[in-house]
Amino acid sequence: MFKFVATALFAASLAVAYVTPAVAEEPIVIKFSHVVTDDTPKGKGARLFQKLVQERLAGQVKVEVYPNSTLYGDAEELDALQRNEVQMLAPSVSKFDQYTKQLEIFDMPFLFDDLEAVKRFEKRDKSRELLGSMASHGIYGLAFWNNGMKQLSANRELRKPTDARGLAFRIQASNLLEDQFKQVGASALKLPFSQSFKALQSGQVQGTENTWSNLYSQKLNTVQPYITESNHGVLVYMLISNSKFWNALPFGVRTQLEQISDEVTQFVNKEAEAINSKDRESILGSGTSKLVTLSPSERQAWRESMQPLIQKYEPEIGADVIRAAQLVNR
Ligand code: LMR
């Protein structure tokens, strides 16, 4: 009997061994979800990431891109990443407020003089440390992707800080951004990006802040008759993955994905400026919105009204991080 069972098991294992090699191994699937359109800096970055993976890791890794909140909106995408239902995201760092306060550095108004200063900061060791600031939440930071400088828009002309008094602004989920608008006597409503247009159109809020590319690609300019070119803050993304997923990737695959991520980061950070300036021209050309250009002293008044936030937020961001950011302005 024993001999019979052993022989049967042996035969079965041979059959399995015979069948297994014929079954092709499934590629590792990386779902990359985001909330903007394909023709924005982040949207183009996600597509390039997909293309390079297809070229270099075909059969081993497959990237599926879900743009424009089609899979998850920004209120759900981070939970989905932690459950490993998506493996890659590039949320604005403002949306990480619930996990770390240090990244609020990028939300501080008038801290960075321009995008060049932001890029210099991103090369500093302090920034590299910030990529690891959500490790305890299972979030692995790969790189910073820039969109651009933010502008203010509203249904009335915003030239002086007092012009914003009494208005409600749609903001991302960041306490610092909420305080930014309180500083000028306005209120702020944290809403998912996908709800921005409706909230402005219906009058639930009367203003917002965003980059030229986000204003244009979501048609926010069509419901905002005034755009103040304030360049008061910056919109930065962090390319992230689920730590467990990332660390379980075969070493060779992970190394190649990290190489691709570096290449795409360079592309996004170069391309973003061109996209924003093209979208700025398209908005101005469309005639939907009047451009409000601030004189140096008008811009200084906005800066001064928001200055107290540095002191208020220093304990949670860290004096060392703030100092490192201040040093990159020239
Ligand atoms: C926003 O919510 O305004 C932005 O973070 C959207 C994005 O991802 O650019």
Side-chain angles (χ1 to χ4, degrees), residues 229-250:
E229 192 158 31
S230 51
N231 290 313
H232 63 282
V234 65
L235 180 60
V236 169
Y237 305 120
M238 196 195 283
L239 181 66
I240 56 169
S241 186
N242 174 305
S243 308
K244 264 198 200 142
F245 168 81
W246 201 258
N247 291 326
L249 288 169

Side-chain angles (χ1 to χ4, degrees), residues 34-36 40 42 74 77 90-95 147 150 170-173 191-194 196 208-211 213-214 220 235-237:
H34 65 79
V35 300
V36 290
T40 57
K42 175 162 57 182
D74 49 18
E77 64 180 15
S92 147
V93 294
S94 315
K95 292 169 190 167
N147 182 320
K150 291 183 291 186
R170 177 271 161 178
I171 56 160
Q172 307 177 75
L191 286 175
F193 185 55
S194 59
S196 305
T208 191
E209 56 160 16
N210 228 313
T211 59
S213 75
N214 275 353
L220 303 185
L235 180 60
V236 169
Y237 305 120

Side-chain angles (χ1 to χ4, degrees), residues 1 3 9 101 116 118 120 138 143 160-161 165-166 190 203 209 215 233 246 257 290 302 305 308:
M1 174 67 180
K3 206 169 165 196
L9 280 176
K101 295 294 173 195
E116 291 310 309
V118 176
R120 284 194 288 277
K160 302 184 297 299
R165 200 172 279 166
K190 294 175 183 166
E209 56 160 16
L215 291 169
W246 201 258
L257 288 175
K290 178 175 177 238
W302 285 90
S305 66

